[in-house]
mmCIF file of all heavy atoms in Angstrom:
data_model
loop_
_atom_site.group_PDB
_atom_site.id
_atom_site.type_symbol
_atom_site.label_atom_id
_atom_site.label_comp_id
_atom_site.label_asym_id
_atom_site.label_seq_id
_atom_site.Cartn_x
_atom_site.Cartn_y
_atom_site.Cartn_z
ATOM 1 N N ALA S 1 0.816 -1.214 0.006
ATOM 2 C CA ALA S 1 0.010 0.009 -0.018
ATOM 3 C C ALA S 1 0.847 1.267 0.007
ATOM 4 O O ALA S 1 0.355 2.332 -0.389
ATOM 5 C CB ALA S 1 -0.934 -0.004 1.181
ATOM 6 N N ALA S 2 2.086 1.130 0.419
ATOM 7 C CA ALA S 2 2.964 2.312 0.497
ATOM 8 C C ALA S 2 3.749 2.546 -0.780
ATOM 9 O O ALA S 2 4.459 3.527 -0.921
ATOM 10 C CB ALA S 2 3.959 2.136 1.651
ATOM 11 N N MET S 3 3.579 1.650 -1.790
ATOM 12 C CA MET S 3 4.240 1.868 -3.045
ATOM 13 C C MET S 3 3.858 3.183 -3.680
ATOM 14 O O MET S 3 2.666 3.574 -3.685
ATOM 15 C CB MET S 3 3.896 0.741 -4.050
ATOM 16 C CG MET S 3 4.514 -0.602 -3.743
ATOM 17 S SD MET S 3 4.211 -1.791 -5.079
ATOM 18 C CE MET S 3 2.442 -1.926 -5.074
ATOM 19 N N GLU S 4 4.821 3.930 -4.204
ATOM 20 C CA GLU S 4 4.522 5.155 -4.903
ATOM 21 C C GLU S 4 3.591 4.868 -6.073
ATOM 22 O O GLU S 4 3.885 4.050 -6.931
ATOM 23 C CB GLU S 4 5.833 5.792 -5.412
ATOM 24 C CG GLU S 4 5.614 7.150 -6.072
ATOM 25 C CD GLU S 4 6.879 7.746 -6.594
ATOM 26 O OE1 GLU S 4 7.969 7.170 -6.380
ATOM 27 O OE2 GLU S 4 6.821 8.813 -7.244
ATOM 28 N N GLY S 5 2.456 5.540 -6.107
ATOM 29 C CA GLY S 5 1.514 5.351 -7.188
ATOM 30 C C GLY S 5 0.344 4.476 -6.844
ATOM 31 O O GLY S 5 -0.623 4.411 -7.562
ATOM 32 N N PHE S 6 0.447 3.737 -5.720
ATOM 33 C CA PHE S 6 -0.652 2.879 -5.292
ATOM 34 C C PHE S 6 -1.807 3.757 -4.794
ATOM 35 O O PHE S 6 -1.527 4.758 -4.105
ATOM 36 C CB PHE S 6 -0.219 1.920 -4.204
ATOM 37 C CG PHE S 6 -1.294 0.925 -3.795
ATOM 38 C CD1 PHE S 6 -1.460 -0.239 -4.543
ATOM 39 C CD2 PHE S 6 -2.109 1.143 -2.711
ATOM 40 C CE1 PHE S 6 -2.435 -1.167 -4.179
ATOM 41 C CE2 PHE S 6 -3.102 0.228 -2.376
ATOM 42 C CZ PHE S 6 -3.267 -0.899 -3.100
ATOM 43 N N PRO S 7 -3.058 3.468 -5.092
ATOM 44 C CA PRO S 7 -4.184 4.290 -4.594
ATOM 45 C C PRO S 7 -4.105 4.487 -3.094
ATOM 46 O O PRO S 7 -3.871 3.521 -2.343
ATOM 47 C CB PRO S 7 -5.393 3.498 -4.973
ATOM 48 C CG PRO S 7 -4.966 2.646 -6.166
ATOM 49 C CD PRO S 7 -3.506 2.309 -5.896
ATOM 50 N N GLN S 8 -4.316 5.718 -2.632
ATOM 51 C CA GLN S 8 -4.159 6.001 -1.238
ATOM 52 C C GLN S 8 -5.417 6.002 -0.405
ATOM 53 O O GLN S 8 -5.379 6.377 0.755
ATOM 54 C CB GLN S 8 -3.464 7.365 -1.084
ATOM 55 C CG GLN S 8 -2.038 7.358 -1.597
ATOM 56 C CD GLN S 8 -1.201 6.302 -0.904
ATOM 57 O OE1 GLN S 8 -0.947 6.342 0.298
ATOM 58 N NE2 GLN S 8 -0.697 5.334 -1.686
ATOM 59 N N ASP S 9 -6.526 5.535 -0.997
ATOM 60 C CA ASP S 9 -7.749 5.418 -0.186
ATOM 61 C C ASP S 9 -7.720 4.139 0.627
ATOM 62 O O ASP S 9 -7.078 3.157 0.253
ATOM 63 C CB ASP S 9 -8.968 5.411 -1.104
ATOM 64 C CG ASP S 9 -8.961 4.251 -2.085
ATOM 65 O OD1 ASP S 9 -8.013 4.134 -2.893
ATOM 66 O OD2 ASP S 9 -9.888 3.400 -2.008
ATOM 67 N N GLU S 10 -8.423 4.156 1.730
ATOM 68 C CA GLU S 10 -8.369 3.026 2.662
ATOM 69 C C GLU S 10 -8.992 1.763 2.047
ATOM 70 O O GLU S 10 -8.596 0.616 2.330
ATOM 71 C CB GLU S 10 -9.137 3.378 3.962
ATOM 72 C CG GLU S 10 -9.102 2.300 5.015
ATOM 73 C CD GLU S 10 -7.687 1.900 5.430
ATOM 74 O OE1 GLU S 10 -6.796 2.775 5.400
ATOM 75 O OE2 GLU S 10 -7.487 0.699 5.788
ATOM 76 N N GLN S 11 -10.007 1.960 1.185
ATOM 77 C CA GLN S 11 -10.660 0.798 0.591
ATOM 78 C C GLN S 11 -9.719 -0.003 -0.285
ATOM 79 O O GLN S 11 -9.728 -1.237 -0.307
ATOM 80 C CB GLN S 11 -11.879 1.226 -0.214
ATOM 81 C CG GLN S 11 -12.553 0.031 -0.927
ATOM 82 C CD GLN S 11 -13.831 0.406 -1.606
ATOM 83 O OE1 GLN S 11 -14.862 0.518 -0.947
ATOM 84 N NE2 GLN S 11 -13.791 0.613 -2.906
ATOM 85 N N SER S 12 -8.857 0.698 -1.055
ATOM 86 C CA SER S 12 -7.896 0.020 -1.916
ATOM 87 C C SER S 12 -6.895 -0.762 -1.068
ATOM 88 O O SER S 12 -6.544 -1.879 -1.412
ATOM 89 C CB SER S 12 -7.145 1.015 -2.799
ATOM 90 O OG SER S 12 -8.030 1.613 -3.726
ATOM 91 N N ARG S 13 -6.465 -0.188 0.028
ATOM 92 C CA ARG S 13 -5.571 -0.921 0.904
ATOM 93 C C ARG S 13 -6.264 -2.162 1.496
ATOM 94 O O ARG S 13 -5.644 -3.246 1.509
ATOM 95 C CB ARG S 13 -5.109 -0.014 2.062
ATOM 96 C CG ARG S 13 -4.107 -0.655 2.974
ATOM 97 C CD ARG S 13 -3.825 0.175 4.222
ATOM 98 N NE ARG S 13 -2.730 -0.396 4.996
ATOM 99 C CZ ARG S 13 -2.833 -1.443 5.747
ATOM 100 N NH1 ARG S 13 -3.984 -2.112 5.884
ATOM 101 N NH2 ARG S 13 -1.797 -1.936 6.416
ATOM 102 N N GLU S 14 -7.474 -2.003 1.917
ATOM 103 C CA GLU S 14 -8.199 -3.127 2.456
ATOM 104 C C GLU S 14 -8.480 -4.211 1.416
ATOM 105 O O GLU S 14 -8.558 -5.429 1.762
ATOM 106 C CB GLU S 14 -9.536 -2.663 3.057
ATOM 107 C CG GLU S 14 -10.443 -3.735 3.622
ATOM 108 C CD GLU S 14 -9.810 -4.567 4.722
ATOM 109 O OE1 GLU S 14 -8.890 -3.998 5.412
ATOM 110 O OE2 GLU S 14 -10.180 -5.751 4.905
ATOM 111 N N ALA S 15 -8.541 -3.863 0.160
ATOM 112 C CA ALA S 15 -8.790 -4.829 -0.882
ATOM 113 C C ALA S 15 -7.624 -5.814 -1.076
ATOM 114 O O ALA S 15 -7.773 -6.843 -1.711
ATOM 115 C CB ALA S 15 -9.043 -4.078 -2.205
ATOM 116 N N LEU S 16 -6.455 -5.497 -0.503
ATOM 117 C CA LEU S 16 -5.317 -6.371 -0.569
ATOM 118 C C LEU S 16 -5.458 -7.544 0.405
ATOM 119 O O LEU S 16 -4.687 -8.505 0.318
ATOM 120 C CB LEU S 16 -4.041 -5.592 -0.270
ATOM 121 C CG LEU S 16 -3.648 -4.530 -1.294
ATOM 122 C CD1 LEU S 16 -2.441 -3.732 -0.795
ATOM 123 C CD2 LEU S 16 -3.332 -5.149 -2.617
ATOM 124 N N HIS S 17 -6.407 -7.467 1.312
ATOM 125 C CA HIS S 17 -6.665 -8.560 2.201
ATOM 126 C C HIS S 17 -7.653 -9.564 1.531
ATOM 127 O O HIS S 17 -8.620 -9.103 0.954
ATOM 128 C CB HIS S 17 -7.302 -8.068 3.521
ATOM 129 C CG HIS S 17 -6.380 -7.318 4.393
ATOM 130 N ND1 HIS S 17 -6.182 -5.968 4.269
ATOM 131 C CD2 HIS S 17 -5.569 -7.720 5.406
ATOM 132 C CE1 HIS S 17 -5.311 -5.543 5.196
ATOM 133 N NE2 HIS S 17 -4.955 -6.589 5.912
ATOM 134 N N THR S 18 -7.356 -10.838 1.652
ATOM 135 C CA THR S 18 -8.255 -11.847 1.090
ATOM 136 C C THR S 18 -8.774 -12.693 2.214
ATOM 137 O O THR S 18 -8.092 -12.888 3.274
ATOM 138 C CB THR S 18 -7.512 -12.745 0.069
ATOM 139 O OG1 THR S 18 -6.387 -13.376 0.703
ATOM 140 C CG2 THR S 18 -7.047 -11.892 -1.106
ATOM 141 N N ALA S 19 -9.983 -13.256 2.026
ATOM 142 C CA ALA S 19 -10.556 -14.150 2.992
ATOM 143 C C ALA S 19 -10.340 -15.617 2.593
ATOM 144 O O ALA S 19 -9.859 -16.433 3.364
ATOM 145 C CB ALA S 19 -12.040 -13.849 3.139
ATOM 146 N N ASN S 20 -10.768 -15.938 1.367
ATOM 147 C CA ASN S 20 -10.544 -17.293 0.824
ATOM 148 C C ASN S 20 -10.050 -17.153 -0.596
ATOM 149 O O ASN S 20 -10.578 -16.343 -1.356
ATOM 150 C CB ASN S 20 -11.888 -18.046 0.803
ATOM 151 C CG ASN S 20 -12.543 -18.108 2.148
ATOM 152 O OD1 ASN S 20 -12.047 -18.798 3.039
ATOM 153 N ND2 ASN S 20 -13.653 -17.420 2.368
ATOM 154 N N THR S 21 -9.056 -17.935 -0.923
ATOM 155 C CA THR S 21 -8.470 -17.856 -2.293
ATOM 156 C C THR S 21 -8.558 -19.260 -2.925
ATOM 157 O O THR S 21 -8.174 -20.247 -2.299
ATOM 158 C CB THR S 21 -7.035 -17.385 -2.265
ATOM 159 O OG1 THR S 21 -6.275 -18.167 -1.310
ATOM 160 C CG2 THR S 21 -6.952 -15.910 -1.942
ATOM 161 N N TYR S 22 -9.056 -19.304 -4.125
ATOM 162 C CA TYR S 22 -9.228 -20.543 -4.859
ATOM 163 C C TYR S 22 -8.486 -20.522 -6.155
ATOM 164 O O TYR S 22 -8.488 -19.506 -6.842
ATOM 165 C CB TYR S 22 -10.738 -20.828 -5.132
ATOM 166 C CG TYR S 22 -11.578 -20.829 -3.888
ATOM 167 C CD1 TYR S 22 -12.417 -19.708 -3.591
ATOM 168 C CD2 TYR S 22 -11.547 -21.834 -2.937
ATOM 169 C CE1 TYR S 22 -13.201 -19.667 -2.469
ATOM 170 C CE2 TYR S 22 -12.302 -21.835 -1.796
ATOM 171 C CZ TYR S 22 -13.161 -20.743 -1.557
ATOM 172 O OH TYR S 22 -13.878 -20.690 -0.410
ATOM 173 N N LEU S 23 -7.800 -21.596 -6.438
ATOM 174 C CA LEU S 23 -7.012 -21.654 -7.703
ATOM 175 C C LEU S 23 -7.967 -21.658 -8.884
ATOM 176 O O LEU S 23 -8.972 -22.334 -8.897
ATOM 177 C CB LEU S 23 -6.162 -22.906 -7.719
ATOM 178 C CG LEU S 23 -4.921 -22.911 -6.827
ATOM 179 C CD1 LEU S 23 -4.194 -24.222 -6.985
ATOM 180 C CD2 LEU S 23 -3.993 -21.724 -7.119
ATOM 181 N N GLU S 24 -7.570 -20.885 -9.912
ATOM 182 C CA GLU S 24 -8.353 -20.849 -11.120
ATOM 183 C C GLU S 24 -8.425 -22.250 -11.775
ATOM 184 O O GLU S 24 -9.461 -22.684 -12.269
ATOM 185 C CB GLU S 24 -7.690 -19.889 -12.149
ATOM 186 C CG GLU S 24 -8.314 -19.890 -13.497
ATOM 187 C CD GLU S 24 -7.533 -19.061 -14.497
ATOM 188 O OE1 GLU S 24 -6.795 -18.150 -14.069
ATOM 189 O OE2 GLU S 24 -7.684 -19.289 -15.684
ATOM 190 N N MET S 25 -7.289 -22.956 -11.744
ATOM 191 C CA MET S 25 -7.240 -24.303 -12.298
ATOM 192 C C MET S 25 -6.488 -25.201 -11.304
ATOM 193 O O MET S 25 -5.283 -25.126 -11.159
ATOM 194 C CB MET S 25 -6.536 -24.328 -13.651
ATOM 195 C CG MET S 25 -6.458 -25.710 -14.289
ATOM 196 S SD MET S 25 -8.064 -26.341 -14.816
ATOM 197 C CE MET S 25 -8.318 -25.458 -16.326
ATOM 198 N N PRO S 26 -7.208 -25.985 -10.509
ATOM 199 C CA PRO S 26 -6.560 -26.843 -9.518
ATOM 200 C C PRO S 26 -5.639 -27.890 -10.158
ATOM 201 O O PRO S 26 -5.659 -28.155 -11.360
ATOM 202 C CB PRO S 26 -7.732 -27.550 -8.799
ATOM 203 C CG PRO S 26 -8.942 -26.732 -9.194
ATOM 204 C CD PRO S 26 -8.663 -26.158 -10.510
ATOM 205 N N VAL S 27 -4.832 -28.536 -9.348
ATOM 206 C CA VAL S 27 -3.916 -29.540 -9.788
ATOM 207 C C VAL S 27 -4.707 -30.773 -10.313
ATOM 208 O O VAL S 27 -5.596 -31.260 -9.670
ATOM 209 C CB VAL S 27 -3.005 -30.012 -8.642
ATOM 210 C CG1 VAL S 27 -2.096 -31.150 -9.085
ATOM 211 C CG2 VAL S 27 -2.153 -28.852 -8.166
ATOM 212 N N HIS S 28 -4.384 -31.170 -11.525
ATOM 213 C CA HIS S 28 -5.026 -32.328 -12.135
ATOM 214 C C HIS S 28 -4.162 -32.762 -13.321
ATOM 215 O O HIS S 28 -3.577 -31.970 -14.034
ATOM 216 C CB HIS S 28 -6.424 -32.022 -12.634
ATOM 217 C CG HIS S 28 -7.251 -33.221 -12.893
ATOM 218 N ND1 HIS S 28 -7.071 -33.987 -14.026
ATOM 219 C CD2 HIS S 28 -8.238 -33.842 -12.171
ATOM 220 C CE1 HIS S 28 -7.956 -35.000 -14.029
ATOM 221 N NE2 HIS S 28 -8.632 -34.917 -12.877
ATOM 222 N N GLU S 29 -4.031 -34.072 -13.472
ATOM 223 C CA GLU S 29 -3.166 -34.578 -14.549
ATOM 224 C C GLU S 29 -3.703 -34.268 -15.947
ATOM 225 O O GLU S 29 -2.958 -34.319 -16.938
ATOM 226 C CB GLU S 29 -2.988 -36.110 -14.416
ATOM 227 C CG GLU S 29 -4.272 -36.931 -14.494
ATOM 228 C CD GLU S 29 -3.996 -38.393 -14.347
ATOM 229 O OE1 GLU S 29 -2.826 -38.790 -14.185
ATOM 230 O OE2 GLU S 29 -4.978 -39.190 -14.384
ATOM 231 N N LYS S 30 -4.996 -33.933 -16.050
ATOM 232 C CA LYS S 30 -5.600 -33.665 -17.374
ATOM 233 C C LYS S 30 -5.815 -32.140 -17.567
ATOM 234 O O LYS S 30 -6.673 -31.746 -18.377
ATOM 235 C CB LYS S 30 -6.962 -34.407 -17.509
ATOM 236 C CG LYS S 30 -6.847 -35.912 -17.463
ATOM 237 C CD LYS S 30 -6.138 -36.454 -18.666
ATOM 238 C CE LYS S 30 -6.020 -38.007 -18.616
ATOM 239 N NZ LYS S 30 -7.318 -38.643 -18.644
ATOM 240 N N THR S 31 -5.086 -31.344 -16.794
ATOM 241 C CA THR S 31 -5.297 -29.887 -16.814
ATOM 242 C C THR S 31 -5.198 -29.303 -18.256
ATOM 243 O O THR S 31 -6.057 -28.515 -18.632
ATOM 244 C CB THR S 31 -4.278 -29.164 -15.917
ATOM 245 O OG1 THR S 31 -4.498 -29.556 -14.571
ATOM 246 C CG2 THR S 31 -4.366 -27.688 -16.023
ATOM 247 N N VAL S 32 -4.230 -29.675 -18.973
ATOM 248 C CA VAL S 32 -4.032 -29.107 -20.329
ATOM 249 C C VAL S 32 -5.159 -29.418 -21.254
ATOM 250 O O VAL S 32 -5.692 -28.556 -21.953
ATOM 251 C CB VAL S 32 -2.675 -29.634 -20.919
ATOM 252 C CG1 VAL S 32 -2.536 -29.125 -22.367
ATOM 253 C CG2 VAL S 32 -1.493 -29.172 -20.096
ATOM 254 N N GLN S 33 -5.614 -30.688 -21.275
ATOM 255 C CA GLN S 33 -6.752 -31.084 -22.127
ATOM 256 C C GLN S 33 -8.049 -30.394 -21.718
ATOM 257 O O GLN S 33 -8.833 -29.940 -22.553
ATOM 258 C CB GLN S 33 -6.923 -32.591 -22.089
ATOM 259 C CG GLN S 33 -5.730 -33.392 -22.601
ATOM 260 C CD GLN S 33 -4.814 -33.820 -21.491
ATOM 261 O OE1 GLN S 33 -4.484 -33.062 -20.615
ATOM 262 N NE2 GLN S 33 -4.418 -35.115 -21.540
ATOM 263 N N ILE S 34 -8.244 -30.318 -20.420
ATOM 264 C CA ILE S 34 -9.504 -29.672 -19.917
ATOM 265 C C ILE S 34 -9.472 -28.170 -20.310
ATOM 266 O O ILE S 34 -10.477 -27.607 -20.747
ATOM 267 C CB ILE S 34 -9.583 -29.800 -18.392
ATOM 268 C CG1 ILE S 34 -9.817 -31.301 -18.033
ATOM 269 C CG2 ILE S 34 -10.705 -28.967 -17.807
ATOM 270 C CD1 ILE S 34 -9.735 -31.588 -16.536
ATOM 271 N N ASP S 35 -8.305 -27.532 -20.141
ATOM 272 C CA ASP S 35 -8.220 -26.092 -20.489
ATOM 273 C C ASP S 35 -8.517 -25.851 -21.963
ATOM 274 O O ASP S 35 -9.209 -24.905 -22.342
ATOM 275 C CB ASP S 35 -6.825 -25.605 -20.128
ATOM 276 C CG ASP S 35 -6.680 -24.103 -20.303
ATOM 277 O OD1 ASP S 35 -7.461 -23.369 -19.714
ATOM 278 O OD2 ASP S 35 -5.762 -23.676 -21.049
ATOM 279 N N THR S 36 -8.042 -26.743 -22.830
ATOM 280 C CA THR S 36 -8.312 -26.624 -24.259
ATOM 281 C C THR S 36 -9.807 -26.693 -24.539
ATOM 282 O O THR S 36 -10.354 -25.880 -25.323
ATOM 283 C CB THR S 36 -7.558 -27.738 -25.014
ATOM 284 O OG1 THR S 36 -6.166 -27.587 -24.831
ATOM 285 C CG2 THR S 36 -7.850 -27.647 -26.507
ATOM 286 N N ALA S 37 -10.468 -27.667 -23.951
ATOM 287 C CA ALA S 37 -11.923 -27.824 -24.144
ATOM 288 C C ALA S 37 -12.697 -26.605 -23.621
ATOM 289 O O ALA S 37 -13.628 -26.106 -24.282
ATOM 290 C CB ALA S 37 -12.423 -29.109 -23.450
ATOM 291 N N LEU S 38 -12.289 -26.090 -22.473
ATOM 292 C CA LEU S 38 -12.965 -24.906 -21.910
ATOM 293 C C LEU S 38 -12.797 -23.671 -22.784
ATOM 294 O O LEU S 38 -13.731 -22.905 -22.967
ATOM 295 C CB LEU S 38 -12.406 -24.663 -20.530
ATOM 296 C CG LEU S 38 -12.739 -25.646 -19.411
ATOM 297 C CD1 LEU S 38 -11.915 -25.370 -18.172
ATOM 298 C CD2 LEU S 38 -14.243 -25.588 -19.054
ATOM 299 N N ASN S 39 -11.612 -23.526 -23.312
ATOM 300 C CA ASN S 39 -11.345 -22.387 -24.228
ATOM 301 C C ASN S 39 -12.193 -22.391 -25.480
ATOM 302 O O ASN S 39 -12.731 -21.352 -25.913
ATOM 303 C CB ASN S 39 -9.863 -22.322 -24.555
ATOM 304 C CG ASN S 39 -9.034 -21.675 -23.455
ATOM 305 O OD1 ASN S 39 -9.424 -20.718 -22.862
ATOM 306 N ND2 ASN S 39 -7.864 -22.233 -23.241
ATOM 307 N N GLU S 40 -12.302 -23.595 -26.056
ATOM 308 C CA GLU S 40 -13.036 -23.705 -27.312
ATOM 309 C C GLU S 40 -14.533 -23.407 -27.067
ATOM 310 O O GLU S 40 -15.151 -22.650 -27.860
ATOM 311 C CB GLU S 40 -12.892 -25.123 -27.839
ATOM 312 C CG GLU S 40 -11.511 -25.402 -28.411
ATOM 313 C CD GLU S 40 -11.373 -26.838 -28.832
ATOM 314 O OE1 GLU S 40 -12.347 -27.627 -28.620
ATOM 315 O OE2 GLU S 40 -10.265 -27.186 -29.410
ATOM 316 N N VAL S 41 -15.091 -23.881 -26.016
ATOM 317 C CA VAL S 41 -16.519 -23.642 -25.751
ATOM 318 C C VAL S 41 -16.732 -22.202 -25.315
ATOM 319 O O VAL S 41 -17.737 -21.566 -25.725
ATOM 320 C CB VAL S 41 -17.013 -24.606 -24.651
ATOM 321 C CG1 VAL S 41 -18.437 -24.207 -24.192
ATOM 322 C CG2 VAL S 41 -17.061 -26.053 -25.186
ATOM 323 N N HIS S 42 -15.805 -21.626 -24.590
ATOM 324 C CA HIS S 42 -15.928 -20.225 -24.197
ATOM 325 C C HIS S 42 -16.032 -19.306 -25.426
ATOM 326 O O HIS S 42 -16.931 -18.441 -25.520
ATOM 327 C CB HIS S 42 -14.745 -19.798 -23.330
ATOM 328 C CG HIS S 42 -14.720 -18.306 -23.073
ATOM 329 N ND1 HIS S 42 -15.564 -17.709 -22.214
ATOM 330 C CD2 HIS S 42 -13.870 -17.309 -23.524
ATOM 331 C CE1 HIS S 42 -15.309 -16.393 -22.121
ATOM 332 N NE2 HIS S 42 -14.298 -16.131 -22.934
ATOM 333 N N ASP S 43 -15.158 -19.549 -26.391
ATOM 334 C CA ASP S 43 -15.188 -18.760 -27.604
ATOM 335 C C ASP S 43 -16.485 -18.929 -28.360
ATOM 336 O O ASP S 43 -17.061 -17.955 -28.880
ATOM 337 C CB ASP S 43 -13.988 -19.176 -28.482
ATOM 338 C CG ASP S 43 -13.762 -18.236 -29.629
ATOM 339 O OD1 ASP S 43 -13.331 -17.089 -29.364
ATOM 340 O OD2 ASP S 43 -14.009 -18.616 -30.777
ATOM 341 N N SER S 44 -16.990 -20.148 -28.400
ATOM 342 C CA SER S 44 -18.262 -20.410 -29.109
ATOM 343 C C SER S 44 -19.433 -19.703 -28.447
ATOM 344 O O SER S 44 -20.302 -19.122 -29.101
ATOM 345 C CB SER S 44 -18.494 -21.926 -29.203
ATOM 346 O OG SER S 44 -17.521 -22.559 -29.953
ATOM 347 N N ILE S 45 -19.459 -19.768 -27.110
ATOM 348 C CA ILE S 45 -20.530 -19.089 -26.394
ATOM 349 C C ILE S 45 -20.488 -17.579 -26.537
ATOM 350 O O ILE S 45 -21.496 -16.915 -26.844
ATOM 351 C CB ILE S 45 -20.537 -19.460 -24.875
ATOM 352 C CG1 ILE S 45 -20.850 -20.933 -24.679
ATOM 353 C CG2 ILE S 45 -21.471 -18.565 -24.093
ATOM 354 C CD1 ILE S 45 -20.732 -21.409 -23.270
#
């Protein structure tokens, strides 16, 4: 929050606190194939 140029309002500082964090793509041996399928359908939708 003290970095030069970082927003100086209290809300921005508080936004750096997290409660629960979840991985976008969890560990799985088929991650690459799953990601490919998800990307193709996303583009189509």
Side-chain angles (χ1 to χ4, degrees):
M3 287 188 298
E4 182 182 357
F6 185 84
Q8 293 305 296
D9 61 299
E10 183 59 31
Q11 177 173 280
S12 293
R13 184 189 187 283
E14 177 59 27
L16 295 173
H17 290 87
T18 58
N20 304 291
T21 50
Y22 304 106
L23 286 180
E24 174 187 337
M25 182 67 79
V27 176
H28 195 283
E29 63 180 358
K30 299 291 180 63
T31 295
V32 174
Q33 298 95 314
I34 293 171
D35 186 55
T36 298
L38 291 170
N39 279 319
E40 290 176 355
V41 170
H42 173 71
D43 192 69
S44 296
I45 292 175

